[in-house]
Structure formats: C-alpha cells, structure tokens
Amino acid sequence: MTNDGQHPGVGPTLLGGEMTGWRDGIDPPTALTEWVAAVLAEAEGSVLLIGPRAATLARRLGDRATVLVRGTIDAVRLHAEGIDVRCGGLDRLPLRSAYDTVVVLDPPERVLTPDSPGLGHFDVLDLAVSHADGRFIAYVPNALAAENLSQGRASGDASWWVGTPGYDDRPPVRADLPESASHLVLGDTVVLDSTQVTDPLATTTVRAALAAHQEWLDVVHAGAVRQLATGWVLVRGRELATRPAVFAPTLPDSSQTEGEPLEVPLIAALRAGDHDRIRRFVVLYREHVEGLPDEYRGHAVPRNTVVVADGSLAPRVSIAAEPVAAPVAVAHGLWDVAALVAGTAAHPYPPELNTAGVAHELGMLTGQAGLDDDAWRHAEKLRYEVALPTRHLRTVTGEENSRIAQLESALRERQVKIDYLEDLATRQDRRIRALEHAIETEHGPRARQALFVMTAPTSRLVEAARNRINKSG
C-alpha cells in the first residue's frame, strides 16, 4: 500500500497541534526496538512509525518509512536525515493515510499533544490501527512493571497531561488488556514469546540474559513474569514470521540444554561475598572447560554454561570456533563474568579493581597452574576475536542518584521525627499512668480536683475558674 501521497520537501509536513520547540529526545536501543527492527526487516511494504521510540528505526527502513512525531525539534532532526516526517499529534494524521505496517511503541503522553483530545492507552491503539492496512504492532506499558524501558529526556514538562480528562490515571495491568499479548518485554534486555513463558529452555535463556539483574531473576523464580513484565507487545493483522522464543541481543543463541546458567549462582556468591561458593564454582568451571574439545572452548564462557540437575556443568550452547587452550579459555570466561561486577558493590574484592583485576582474583581460585600472565594476554586477545555480544547494563543516572539521595534524606528526617514523637508519647503515657495511680490511691479534695481537671470539658474548667475569681473578689 501507499501512504497519503505526501513526500518530504523543504521541511517536515506539519499536521497541526505540533509542539513548537519541543523534543522527546532519542531513546536508546533496547531489546524491544531491536525485535521490532528484526520483524520489519522480514515484512514488505510501507511502514508508519508513530512516536519517538519507533522513530529510532526509520534509518534502517529507508524509503519504506514514514515517521510521526509531535516535537518540531525532533521532526527537523529526522527530516535532515532524509526521513519522511509528519509532525503533530496522532489525532491530526489524515484518515486517508494507510500503511502496510503501523508501529506504535509509546504511551499516549508521548504521541498526543496539548491540542489533542484526551485519549487512554487503548484509545490510542484504536486510533493508530485505523491507519494500518496489513499489520499493526504496539507496545503497552505495565503499571506494575518491575523495571521500565529506558527513554530519552523530554525538553519540557513530560507530565503536562496529568489530570487532563480522557487520559488514563495509570498504565494498564495485565487484566486490562483487550487481547492476548504476543510477547512480553522484560526491561531493556529481553522480548519473550508469551506462549513460551514456562518452557524450560526459554527460561534458561531468559535467566542467562538477565544474570546480572537480580530483580528479574526473582520475578522469573516467582513465576510472575506475565504480571510484572515491563510491558506487552500486541499484534493485529498478519501474523509475524516465526522467531526464537527469547529475543535477547546480548544473548542471541537459544539454549540447547536446560538448567541454571552458571553466571547466576556465581554472581550471587560474589554479591554475598561467599568465598567458599565462589571457589567451588570457579573450580567446577575450570574442570568443565578442561573437559571440552579445543574447538568448543572459545565460546564456553559462564553465560553459555549451565548447572544441570546433578550439579555438574554442561554447555548451554555449543559453538565451534578456532581451538583454544584450556587456561586461556578459563581466563576468557572469568574475564566475561568480571565485566558484570567490576565497578559495582557486587563482589568482595577491593572496589578500585577494574575488570581485569576482578578476573585475576577469580583466576587465583582455580588452582590451574597454567593460568599465568601469558594465558591472560591471550585471553584478552580472545575477547575481541570471539566477539561475544556486548552487554549494556542499566546504570543509574546522576539525576536518579540525586533524587535517590533526596528521598533518603527525607526518609531519615521523617524517621527522626517519628522516633521523637514515639519517645514523647511514651513519656506522656508514663506520666498519665503515674497520675492515674496517684488518684486511685489518694482520697480527699485534691484527688477529686485532679480528676476534675483531667476529665472535665474546657467549658466547665473555664466556668469553675470564673466562679473562683468571683468568690475571691
């Protein structure tokens, strides 16, 4: 199908309602955007990319893509890259516009403008799908998400829509979905086929991809992936091409053996500072690598190794490459694990150690005589030759650190106030109990006067005081 017939000219096509001087920024790549890019690479025809997240895919699609963004700064930048751009709210896109595939990966507050009518999450999907003449792909965020997707920073108040009639008060939860999700999104790291959530091999791959993300490991262990996913992918129209159950750019190979990825217990032992367990896993890993054929050692890093039911190690995947000596392969694998924990508090070694330093600390536990300086030099070279997929760990930004510090300070202040009030209440309670005891054991006018003062309404106290003054006058 063709689009609305417009072509890029001297500037972006303005639809009305565009946000002048506004930018939503450039979202970093995630497993979600990489998964959509892989799907679109196998689809034919025109593609409408709605919102700033989907817009990051435009250059890969070339002339097939039309982008809809609301901020004029974003629109000008994309147009300068040779991309066909519409600028304005989704509600302003002409209804005659039709595309073979429509993609929207952002919530209402990132595709509508202050001039748009208030629309909820599913209202936006219904509006967007009206422009699809084939396939429709949408991402819906989860209100209960264990971790949200990373995104660029807007140039203005990103919460301008809060309180506007028509907008949802919160993102949906799983029970709100109008249809079954095609895939689940787990942070920036994994897109999981919703029909394969309980599959043992898929679970092994997911845990291997999320080895350094303890919060996700807890979610997987609890069987709450469907409920606590970052969000869901909904697909309407033509079915997607068959893809692996687990899409993880940092771990592209699907598991061939089920079990616990070795990185998971090894990192847990490092985080706990359990030297005995660390040594046991490192020695077990060394023995495993030594028992492999030379051509399978290069890729036999802990992320590609699992602990099977009997406690022994087995390859998660078997990938042949150039032959590698066992000491070099062991050093290479320990280096790969060290890269996950170096620079964090998730290991018991001196905090100033870099990746190589942590790897050497682990290497000393192997008891392998051949793990000398020469082996480490070859291992460093092997890291670049094997070219394991790069893992981008989510980091806390300076702004987030500042906000965390503010909240911690506020909590400490409130705790001090609570402690003071609790102490004051305790002392007052003791005084009241002592006074009540004195009244109970004392007889005569003073006891009656004290009881009267403690229990009488203020109006009676004032009246009694006036009577006493009048009598004395």
Side-chain angles (χ1 to χ4, degrees):
M1 288 296 296
T2 59
N3 56 25
D4 58 8
Q6 301 184 60
H7 300 280
V10 296
T13 301
L14 302 181
L15 302 176
E18 60 274 356
M19 297 172 71
T20 304
W22 178 279
R23 68 171 180 273
D24 284 299
I26 302 174
D27 290 345
T30 66
L32 172 62
T33 52
E34 294 302 308
W35 178 85
V36 173
V39 170
L40 295 179
E42 299 179 6
E44 296 181 352
S46 59
V47 180
L48 173 63
L49 302 171
I50 300 173
R53 188 178 300 281
T56 61
L57 305 174
R59 278 184 290 182
R60 305 192 195 187
L61 298 174
D63 294 340
R64 297 171 55 199
T66 298
V67 170
L68 173 64
V69 290
R70 59 185 183 169
T72 56
I73 296 178
D74 292 326
V76 170
R77 172 180 55 81
L78 291 165
H79 183 270
E81 298 175 7
I83 298 169
D84 188 10
V85 182
R86 308 286 182 268
C87 185
L90 173 58
D91 57 298
R92 298 297 186 100
L93 190 66
L95 291 177
R96 67 179 183 276
S97 304
Y99 301 82
D100 292 300
T101 304
V102 173
V103 179
V104 56
L105 306 179
D106 287 296
E109 61 268 21
R110 295 190 89 198
V111 299
L112 300 178
T113 75
D115 290 339
S116 302
L119 298 174
H121 286 77
F122 302 122
D123 297 325
V124 164
L125 299 193
D126 291 338
L127 180 57
V129 78
S130 67
H131 299 283
D133 193 32
R135 178 186 290 123
F136 176 68
I137 302 173
Y139 168 74
V140 180
N142 180 11
L144 301 178
E147 176 188 330
N148 295 321
L149 284 179
S150 299
Q151 68 180 47
R153 291 183 58 189
S155 58
D157 180 10
S159 299
W160 57 267
W161 55 277
V162 174
T164 302
Y167 285 90
D168 292 334
D169 294 331
R170 58 162 177 79
V173 296
R174 184 181 174 222
D176 298 330
L177 296 179
E179 59 203 74
S180 297
S182 167
H183 289 73
L184 311 178
V185 179
L186 309 183
D188 296 341
T189 310
V190 171
V191 177
L192 173 62
D193 188 325
S194 62
T195 65
Q196 300 294 316
V197 171
T198 59
D199 178 75
L201 289 178
T203 300
T204 298
T205 308
V206 168
R207 291 178 68 82
L210 299 170
H213 302 261
Q214 186 59 48
E215 67 281 5
W216 281 119
L217 295 177
D218 293 339
V219 169
V220 174
H221 179 72
V225 174
R226 297 182 188 276
Q227 292 76 19
L228 301 181
T230 296
W232 308 276
V233 177
L234 305 182
V235 178
R236 298 178 186 174
R238 293 195 296 268
E239 292 295 322
L240 301 175
T242 302
R243 306 202 60 78
V246 181
F247 183 89
T250 60
L251 200 74
D253 304 297
S254 299
S255 298
Q256 300 164 359
T257 306
E258 62 181 87
E260 177 82 317
L262 176 60
E263 278 189 338
V264 173
L266 180 51
I267 291 176
L270 286 166
R271 185 180 293 112
D274 190 334
H275 292 277
D276 290 337
R277 288 181 64 213
I278 296 170
R279 183 187 299 276
R280 179 161 55 86
F281 285 128
V282 168
V283 170
L284 192 63
Y285 174 64
R286 184 210 73 199
E287 294 172 347
H288 166 72
V289 172
E290 290 175 341
L292 292 174
D294 293 354
E295 64 271 21
Y296 287 100
R297 288 173 176 164
H299 287 268
V301 294
R303 65 168 110 169
N304 289 335
T305 304
V306 296
V307 183
V308 295
D310 64 1
S312 63
L313 300 187
R316 185 186 65 81
V317 293
S318 295
I319 304 174
E322 292 295 322
V324 177
V328 176
V330 171
H332 178 235
L334 297 180
W335 210 314
D336 193 47
V337 172
L340 286 179
V341 299
T344 73
H347 64 81
Y349 307 117
E352 66 273 10
L353 291 183
N354 58 12
T355 298
V358 175
H360 278 72
E361 291 286 345
L362 294 174
M364 288 189 290
L365 301 177
T366 65
Q368 191 169 23
L371 202 59
D372 52 17
D373 291 343
D374 188 56
W376 286 110
R377 283 194 297 270
H378 282 84
E380 185 173 13
K381 181 181 178 183
L382 187 63
R383 292 184 69 211
Y384 299 100
E385 292 176 348
V386 171
L388 295 170
T390 302
R391 297 189 278 198
H392 300 286
L393 300 181
R394 184 167 186 144
T395 57
V396 180
T397 64
E399 182 180 354
E400 289 174 331
N401 273 325
S402 176
R403 181 58 178 159
I404 290 171
Q406 291 177 1
L407 292 173
E408 288 178 345
S409 176
L411 284 173
R412 284 193 294 270
E413 290 179 4
R414 283 165 175 75
Q415 188 60 49
V416 170
K417 293 179 181 178
I418 290 172
D419 292 342
Y420 168 76
L421 292 173
E422 287 179 344
D423 180 65
L424 180 62
T426 300
R427 286 187 278 117
Q428 294 285 13
D429 184 61
R430 288 174 181 170
R431 290 175 182 173
I432 291 172
R433 289 178 181 273
L435 187 55
E436 289 176 342
H437 176 73
I439 293 172
E440 290 174 357
T441 57
E442 181 70 24
H443 302 283
R446 287 190 178 181
R448 289 194 295 272
Q449 290 174 2
L451 181 62
F452 173 73
V453 169
M454 290 177 61
T455 60
T458 304
S459 57
R460 291 195 59 193
L461 293 175
V462 172
E463 181 182 357
R466 285 176 176 169
N467 290 338
R468 181 176 293 274
I469 293 172
N470 292 334
K471 287 180 180 179
S472 61

